[in-house]
Amino acid sequence: MFHLLQLTCAVAAPPEISGEQTCSVWAVTGPASSSDVTVIDPARSNTILDQFSLPPTSPALCICAVPPTGDTAGTVWIGTLDGGVLIHSSSSSRRRCLQSVSLSEGVHSLTYSQGEVIAGLANGTLAFFTHSSGIWDLQSQEVLSLGAQPLQPVRCCLAKEGCLWVGYWNKVYMISVKIRKVEKSFTVSERSEQQVRFLCAAGSGVWAACRLDPILRLFDWTTGRPLQEVDLSSVVTKALGSAFLSLSPLQITAMSVVSGRLWVGTGSGAIFSVPLSLTSESCSIPYCSLASAQLCYHGHRQAVKFIISAPGCRSSSNSADGAATTSQLILSGGGGYINFRIGDDGSDGASESVLQRSERSHMIIWQSPTPSVPSPAL
């Protein structure tokens, strides 16, 4: 477990991106006016690899790890509220900004797809960045407007096999990255004011969730056909009891697929792990059964900000002979920390400094369980 102030977002830079022997995690923190970056090795979570401040113009909203593409190095991209795109080295000289550009709109998402980086902007527009001669061409990006009114930021994109799924209002737009064209769109929620905020792929399906909503929806990756819909409300209330019956804790606030399981973060700070019926990565439909959902006893006091996976982490602590092994870790970020088995013990005469420490933003780190032998409790 690792605590930071005011976590915003995070990304893992695996060895194939960083060029280093182990995975690193970049976490963005800071007040409303600026942001700091803390880089850690999640296998040795108390070890800070680097820490630096971004230019004090506006807060960072999103972060993305970009693999070596053509002649370009492995890099980490950061998008800011005032329209900045900052490219940093993902290895030893992390503090140095290699390239930057200032766009006319805030950057709310960054997504890598087959040699390009797509920025989701505050005015409902996508900006496509390409590269040449070993550097990224940031000055002449192509743009595609989704057009739906009123305008909303593009906060949610998912890239796979040259296709980009974009959540915008209550719909998903399926876009060909190559020709910059919307090929299909479909409705996720019948409530027009809903906003699709989370998309994650598994096998031949995509799980989607909307803002202020406890419902998980599964769609076919190729056609967008709805396949499954499950309401998380009953699982949350059953696991946490009547103290968590208000609207906010039932909302889905983070989502990720890791090692054949759907990890879901909620407004209560609780995290659930749901096994998927994933038999083949290429052709299976990742249906889930809420009856098999597990509450992660370690959680946050406030809404879960993100859940990410960190593959390729090297550690010597898990092997009997001390030899280094690699594993995949799962990290969540959110305000405060709580053990749901014990509850909130802040009233038991704890000192003020302990309480203040428990209210800080924390990252919680799990080692990925073997999908075929799920743990009875995480």
Side-chain angles (χ1 to χ4, degrees), residues 14-279:
E16 60 268 24
I17 290 180
S18 67
E20 299 179 335
Q21 290 188 337
T22 190
C23 180
S24 61
V25 168
W26 294 51
V28 176
T29 62
S33 58
S34 62
S35 295
D36 298 326
V37 175
T38 302
V39 185
I40 66 168
D41 177 352
R44 300 177 296 136
S45 58
N46 288 326
T47 302
I48 296 178
L49 302 177
D50 212 338
Q51 196 166 30
F52 56 93
S53 297
L54 298 177
T57 53
S58 72
L61 301 179
C62 55
I63 188 167
C64 175
V66 176
T69 304
D71 296 328
T72 66
T75 53
V76 172
W77 293 46
I78 301 171
T80 69
L81 181 62
D82 68 348
V85 175
L86 312 174
I87 303 180
H88 282 252
S89 169
S90 61
S91 55
S92 56
S93 56
R94 303 179 187 94
R95 301 182 178 208
R96 186 163 65 96
C97 183
L98 304 176
Q99 292 179 254
S100 65
V101 67
S102 182
L103 305 178
S104 60
E105 299 286 340
V107 181
H108 288 256
S109 64
L110 288 165
T111 309
Y112 173 78
S113 175
Q114 294 188 333
E116 301 185 28
V117 175
I118 303 100
L121 306 184
N123 63 347
T125 297
L126 298 171
F128 296 81
F129 295 100
T130 58
H131 58 88
S132 62
S133 302
I135 63 171
W136 287 91
D137 183 1
L138 300 184
Q139 305 301 325
S140 59
Q141 69 275 5
E142 296 183 53
V143 296
L144 172 64
S145 176
L146 298 180
Q149 298 286 342
L151 297 178
Q152 278 282 320
V154 179
R155 296 185 173 95
C156 177
C157 296
L158 172 68
K160 181 180 175 183
E161 299 168 355
C163 181
L164 185 72
W165 279 37
V166 180
Y168 191 66
W169 280 109
N170 63 330
K171 294 184 176 181
V172 163
Y173 293 79
M174 300 170 66
I175 295 171
S176 169
V177 174
K178 183 177 181 180
I179 62 175
R180 316 284 200 252
K181 180 181 178 182
V182 177
E183 297 190 321
K184 188 181 299 185
S185 67
F186 61 89
T187 298
V188 174
S189 169
E190 294 303 322
R191 295 170 56 189
S192 59
E193 75 279 9
Q194 283 277 26
Q195 301 168 31
V196 179
R197 285 287 181 87
F198 311 104
L199 295 167
C200 52
S204 56
V206 176
W207 282 99
C210 295
R211 177 177 178 266
L212 305 178
D213 198 23
I215 298 176
L216 296 164
R217 297 174 173 91
L218 175 64
F219 298 90
D220 182 272
W221 167 258
T222 304
T223 65
R225 180 172 62 92
L227 301 172
Q228 188 180 13
E229 185 173 300
V230 292
D231 191 333
L232 201 65
S233 301
S234 60
V235 174
V236 176
T237 53
K238 180 180 179 181
L240 301 181
S242 58
F244 293 88
L245 289 179
S246 65
L247 174 62
S248 177
L250 302 180
Q251 301 166 12
I252 295 168
T253 59
M255 192 165 66
S256 184
V257 171
V258 187
S259 297
R261 302 178 74 89
L262 182 64
W263 293 70
V264 183
T266 65
S268 66
I271 298 166
F272 294 86
S273 173
V274 189
L276 301 174
S277 60
L278 205 58
T279 56

Side-chain angles (χ1 to χ4, degrees), residues 4 83 97 116 125 162 228 262 285 317 327 352 357:
L4 296 161
C97 183
E116 301 185 28
T125 297
Q228 188 180 13
L262 182 64
I285 302 297
S317 60
S327 62
E352 183 180 357
R357 187 164 60 247

